Amino acid sequence: MDIFKLIYEHDLRMDDLRGRHTDRDSQDLTQSIEEFMRPDPTYSRFYLSGSRLDLNHFGLDTLDGYPAVLDKLRQALSGYRFFTEKGESTDIGEALKETDIWQAILLTRESQPKSSLDSLHIDSGSNVGHRKTPLRETLMRDELVLYKEKAHQGFDLHLFSKENIYRDFFFPLKELVSDRFRFFSINGKRVRTERKFYFETWTLQRPPHGVEEVFDETVL
């Protein structure tokens, strides 16, 4: 059986991705006041993960339905171009094959990205939190950043977007729901521990607070 998890966090403050000055005397106070008076921009992030319970495997690409998930992601992200270290790809599946674990993929509706991939890549000793300023600058340009992150037996996907595109994922992925493919929508602000993240290994029939199973009749 496939367990698919779409973990979301909305209305995250873009300002939390801003690099901070350590010397307050060097800050431009006028600029700070102007920025304070502007609306506070926000962003969303989505973590796509999965487990295959019959094999005790963990990772989105270990799912028996992974090809079908990719098809739904193509639908959700239609209109975007995918840029990897090897150049442009028109298909998310190809882009993922060309991308190593920890590397970023840039998604843009333009013919060329405005951001640098090199500034966004992470490694096994770091995380996206170490790329706050480049990530913020990229999101403010209306580009999306997709990370291929290591899972136990495969990889998961971590997507950052200035816009809340949850609905774009929810409806296509909901079409996959079956006895062999169970879909859980998870509020990431309420699922902070590894135990809750892997809830399917100990409490699948009674998921913790913040974890909602999606059924055919589920509506937003």
Side-chain angles (χ1 to χ4, degrees):
M1 178 190 293
D2 286 347
I3 302 297
F4 172 77
K5 294 179 277 190
L6 173 58
I7 304 169
Y8 62 86
E9 291 188 55
H10 302 318
D11 299 321
L12 300 170
R13 295 179 67 248
M14 195 77 76
D15 195 55
D16 289 341
L17 296 175
R18 184 191 299 276
R20 300 297 183 184
H21 290 287
T22 56
D23 182 2
R24 292 186 59 84
D25 293 335
S26 68
Q27 296 185 46
D28 184 343
L29 297 181
T30 301
Q31 179 77 5
S32 298
I33 292 172
E34 289 176 353
E35 291 181 352
F36 177 77
M37 297 299 292
R38 297 189 191 116
D40 191 11
T42 59
Y43 70 99
S44 293
R45 68 178 180 177
F46 307 90
Y47 197 87
L48 286 71
S49 183
S51 60
R52 187 166 172 180
L53 293 185
D54 57 324
L55 299 177
N56 200 33
H57 284 178
F58 300 91
L60 185 65
D61 59 325
T62 69
L63 297 181
D64 185 52
Y66 175 65
V69 171
L70 274 185
D71 284 341
K72 298 305 180 183
L73 294 184
R74 290 184 182 100
Q75 182 178 339
L77 299 170
S78 62
Y80 284 97
R81 298 168 182 259
F82 303 87
F83 288 88
T84 71
E85 284 293 320
K86 295 185 178 180
E88 179 182 359
S89 176
T90 57
D91 181 75
I92 186 172
E94 290 302 315
L96 289 171
K97 289 179 182 178
E98 296 172 354
T99 303
D100 294 332
I101 299 293
W102 314 118
Q103 288 189 331
I105 301 172
L106 269 174
L107 283 69
T108 177
R109 296 187 184 276
E110 306 295 331
S111 59
Q112 291 292 329
K114 302 173 184 176
S115 307
S116 166
L117 272 172
D118 289 341
S119 66
L120 293 165
H121 290 325
I122 57 178
D123 56 49
S124 60
S126 64
N127 56 54
V128 294
H130 295 155
R131 296 292 184 267
K132 285 185 177 182
T133 298
L135 182 58
R136 180 184 187 278
E137 292 171 349
T138 302
L139 297 181
M140 291 298 289
R141 297 185 183 109
D142 294 315
E143 296 177 326
L144 279 59
V145 182
L146 178 65
Y147 284 101
K148 186 175 178 181
E149 297 201 8
K150 185 175 177 58
H152 288 287
Q153 281 79 31
F155 63 82
D156 292 328
L157 299 179
H158 201 174
L159 180 69
F160 294 79
S161 169
K162 187 172 75 172
E163 302 299 326
N164 179 356
I165 56 175
Y166 176 83
R167 296 173 67 91
D168 296 340
F169 291 115
F170 177 83
F171 290 108
L173 290 163
K174 178 185 169 184
E175 296 174 359
L176 299 179
V177 170
S178 71
D179 292 340
R180 299 293 302 166
F181 188 95
R182 295 178 66 175
F183 174 8
F184 292 86
S185 177
I186 302 173
N187 185 337
K189 294 179 180 179
R190 296 178 179 175
V191 179
R192 295 296 193 185
T193 66
E194 185 173 350
R195 178 174 169 80
K196 287 185 176 180
F197 181 87
Y198 292 110
F199 71 91
E200 69 270 27
T201 64
W202 60 282
T203 184
L204 179 60
Q205 302 311 317
R206 297 185 65 184
H209 187 58
V211 178
E212 300 291 338
E213 185 164 8
V214 177
F215 300 98
D216 289 335
E217 63 273 17
T218 302
V219 297
L220 291 180

